[in-house]
Amino acid sequence: VDNTETIDTTDSDGEYELTDVPVGVRELEIGAEDKAGDANYTATTQEVTVSTTTPSVTDEDFQLDRITGELNGTVSASVGSDPIDNESIAGAKIKIIHNSAQQDIIANPDINQEVTADENGDYSIEVPIGDFNLAVTQDGFEKNNSVAIDNHSSGGTKQDLILDATFSDLTGFVNTTDNKGIRGATVTVTDDTS
C-alpha cells in the first residue's frame, strides 16, 4: 500500500503514536510549529522499515534541533529620565520569557537564558523563532516585563530596549559626636561614585 499518510501530533511529553502504518520502507517527516505556524525546530526525515515480523518497528525516537536567531540591541534610559536622559545602561539584565504558544511546543524550554548588557549598554542573546517577551531589569530603573518580540527569522533581529529611571528618598540624621542633632546642616546628593 503506497501513498498512505498517517499523522499524529505529540503530547506535552513529546510522545506520538502512529497506528495502522503499512508494512515496508516508510519515510517519517518530523517537524514542529507554534500556533502561529512558525517552525521552531529544524524539520527532519528518516526512513524506517515497518514489518510485522522480527524485527518489527515499535519505537522510533527523534531529536529536533531548535531554530534560533540572535537578538541584539542597546539598553538605554528613556528620554526625560534626568539626569541620565537617553544614556546607555551598563549591567542591565535581559531575560527571555516564553509565552503560552511557545510553551505548547517547549515542555522544558531549552532557551531560557539571561544576559547582561556590556559597559555600552549593548546586549546579544540567542532567542527562539516566534513570539515571546523579554524582561529587562537594572537597579535604579523600573522593571520592564513586557517587551514583546516578534522574531520570525533565524537571521537575527535588532531590538533596542528603554527603561524608565526610578528615584528613592533618603532620610537620616546629622549629629554631633555626642549624638545631638545639628540644626541647619546641608546634605547634598552628588554624582554616582560607584
Side-chain angles (χ1 to χ4, degrees), residues 102-116:
Q102 288 284 340
Q103 291 297 344
D104 290 347
I105 285 274
I106 317 163
N108 296 307
D110 53 348
I111 300 175
N112 195 13
Q113 64 182 21
E114 179 178 287
V115 295
T116 302

Side-chain angles (χ1 to χ4, degrees), residues 20 48 57 94 120:
D20 299 325
V48 296
V57 173
I94 301 98
N120 299 314

Side-chain angles (χ1 to χ4, degrees), residues 90-94 114-119 121-124 138:
K93 304 283 187 213
I94 301 98
E114 179 178 287
V115 295
T116 302
D118 68 15
E119 66 276 357
D122 296 327
Y123 74 94
S124 181
Q138 174 60 315

Side-chain angles (χ1 to χ4, degrees), residues 77-148:
S78 63
V79 174
S81 290
D82 290 329
I84 52 171
D85 187 28
N86 209 27
E87 287 185 21
S88 61
I89 303 172
K93 304 283 187 213
I94 301 98
K95 183 176 183 176
I96 298 170
I97 300 174
H98 297 280
N99 66 23
S100 60
Q102 288 284 340
Q103 291 297 344
D104 290 347
I105 285 274
I106 317 163
N108 296 307
D110 53 348
I111 300 175
N112 195 13
Q113 64 182 21
E114 179 178 287
V115 295
T116 302
D118 68 15
E119 66 276 357
N120 299 314
D122 296 327
Y123 74 94
S124 181
I125 187 170
E126 184 180 10
V127 295
I129 300 300
D131 300 326
F132 56 92
N133 287 340
L134 291 179
V136 187
T137 58
Q138 174 60 315
D139 191 31
F141 295 88
E142 290 182 25
K143 184 176 184 177
N144 188 344
N145 274 335
S146 60
V147 180

